[in-house]
Amino acid sequence: MPSAASTSISPKPDPNQQRLKNCRATCLVEVSAERLPLLQTSSCWPIPRLLDFSREEQSTPKMSPSDARIVEYGPSDPVVEVLRGAVSARLLHHPDRTFAFEVTLDLVRGAEFFGQKPPVHFHVQEEYIEATQGRVGLEVDGREIVLTPGPDGRFDIAPYLHHRSYPIPLDRQEDGNTVVKFLLSGGSKTDDPAASNLHPIFFENWYKYQDDIVVNGAPIDLLQIFCMFDAGGTYLSLPWWVPFGRTVSITLGVVLGRWIGSGLLGYQPFYRKWTSDWELACRKMEMSIFTRRFVDRSKTD
């Protein structure tokens, strides 16, 4: 008979403890897979990339009926063209929305610009996006959705949902497609355009501001970016670990962009030279005591 000193009795494994270890290991893998916030210095998207938690996993989102057949094209539709013709946005008429853009991205002309994704952000108002030609990437809460043309091809981006859109690279396009098109719309036709958070003049000024930096070499000004974004009901997404991230982001936009930027330092959210509907821009700026001083309907440039 073996002595007590030489006897070894192994405890029975506890399945609950093993599940806890597996859970902890999974959490560590997930956290280590996330990228740390980086300063985005790409010439195409020259602003801080405050969140870059990309995942290549595909998902099956709930899609809505396409708007492609109900938008109306006209001979005098305003067109914004930036980044040396690589990006153009045509303002269309939508029977149910405040605005609608057809955005065209030339992947060959824009090869030097599209290597980096735009910053993750959110809007305080619903936005709608759908691909009408080629494949469009939409990152929603860190997961990529690939949009393609179809009868149920519209994705409805809910208010406060972290997202960003970008063209799928050439090597992932189908049939050698080199041009991507998508519809971007928002607001309700029953709303007063001046009271709407998302509106076309925000997109016009934002696109033109990026073009001024990339093509003309203008310096990057974070206060100008916060000012424009706040006026368009748009805010940069903060890293997931920031408590009350959306509230903090909106507060930064209001304090830095509206109070300090416009109120103290004279930053305008919209500029005449970049705005096709200056009357709407003036009505928007009249609604805030911080931007009323920029209203001048006689401006021509």
Side-chain angles (χ1 to χ4, degrees):
M1 179 181 294
S3 65
S6 63
T7 303
S8 176
I9 301 176
S10 300
K12 185 178 180 181
D14 186 343
N16 292 326
Q17 290 292 330
Q18 187 60 41
R19 280 195 292 269
L20 181 58
K21 290 180 180 179
N22 292 340
C23 178
R24 287 173 177 166
T26 302
C27 291
L28 288 173
V29 171
E30 289 292 331
V31 170
S32 63
E34 304 292 12
R35 304 176 189 173
L36 294 176
L38 301 175
L39 180 64
Q40 173 60 280
T41 57
S42 162
S43 60
C44 179
W45 306 108
I47 68 177
R49 180 163 48 181
L50 299 179
L51 180 63
D52 191 11
F53 300 155
S54 305
R55 298 183 186 182
E56 294 300 323
E57 299 179 23
Q58 302 296 315
S59 57
T60 306
K62 181 180 180 181
M63 308 300 288
S64 300
S66 172
D67 287 336
R69 292 189 177 183
I70 62 175
V71 293
E72 300 174 10
Y73 294 79
S76 59
D77 293 336
V79 178
V80 178
E81 188 173 285
V82 296
L83 302 182
R84 302 187 183 97
V87 178
S88 66
R90 181 177 181 177
L91 185 60
L92 308 176
H93 172 76
H94 193 296
D96 302 320
R97 309 267 163 70
T98 303
F99 74 93
F101 277 112
E102 179 188 63
V103 181
T104 302
L105 308 176
D106 188 316
L107 303 185
V108 176
R109 284 187 179 183
E112 63 179 300
F113 308 124
F114 299 147
Q116 298 289 342
K117 297 176 182 178
V120 181
H121 59 279
F122 63 91
H123 310 292
V124 298
Q125 182 176 316
E126 192 166 38
E127 184 182 34
Y128 309 89
I129 184 173
E130 68 170 294
T132 57
Q133 179 178 324
R135 309 177 81 203
V136 177
L138 177 66
E139 187 180 307
V140 177
D141 279 339
R143 297 187 181 277
E144 183 180 79
I145 301 167
V146 177
L147 304 178
T148 56
D152 295 310
R154 190 187 80 215
F155 187 91
D156 301 349
I157 304 172
Y160 304 100
L161 186 65
H162 300 299
H163 68 282
R164 60 178 165 184
S165 59
Y166 46 87
I168 294 296
L170 274 170
D171 59 0
R172 293 175 58 194
Q173 294 288 337
E174 296 178 344
D175 303 323
N177 182 63
T178 62
V179 175
V180 168
K181 294 185 178 183
F182 62 92
L183 293 177
L184 190 68
S185 61
S188 171
K189 207 66 174 180
T190 59
D191 297 337
D192 179 1
S196 179
N197 288 296
L198 271 181
H199 43 77
I201 55 177
F202 159 68
F203 289 100
E204 285 181 330
N205 279 262
W206 173 232
Y207 285 167
K208 285 292 188 179
Y209 179 66
Q210 293 182 86
D211 192 63
D212 196 34
I213 293 173
V214 175
V215 177
N216 301 327
I220 301 170
D221 193 326
L222 291 179
L223 285 178
Q224 181 64 74
I225 293 169
F226 278 115
C227 177
M228 283 183 171
F229 271 42
D230 177 58
T234 301
Y235 302 93
L236 298 174
S237 298
L238 299 176
W240 61 269
W241 43 262
V242 176
F244 309 105
R246 291 179 178 86
T247 302
V248 173
S249 183
I250 293 174
T251 302
L252 284 174
V254 172
V255 173
L256 297 179
R258 191 184 314 175
W259 295 356
I260 296 177
S262 292
L264 296 179
L265 302 179
Y267 284 83
Q268 293 183 214
F270 317 118
Y271 292 86
R272 181 67 186 92
K273 62 182 179 179
W274 295 338
T275 307
S276 60
D277 189 346
W278 185 240
E279 173 60 28
L280 177 58
C282 289
R283 289 175 59 199
K284 285 286 297 180
M285 290 188 290
E286 283 175 336
M287 299 180 71
S288 170
I289 60 173
F290 298 100
T291 55
R292 285 175 189 164
R293 58 179 167 148
F294 307 126
V295 175
D296 183 355
R297 288 178 168 81
S298 64
K299 277 188 176 181
T300 58
D301 56 18

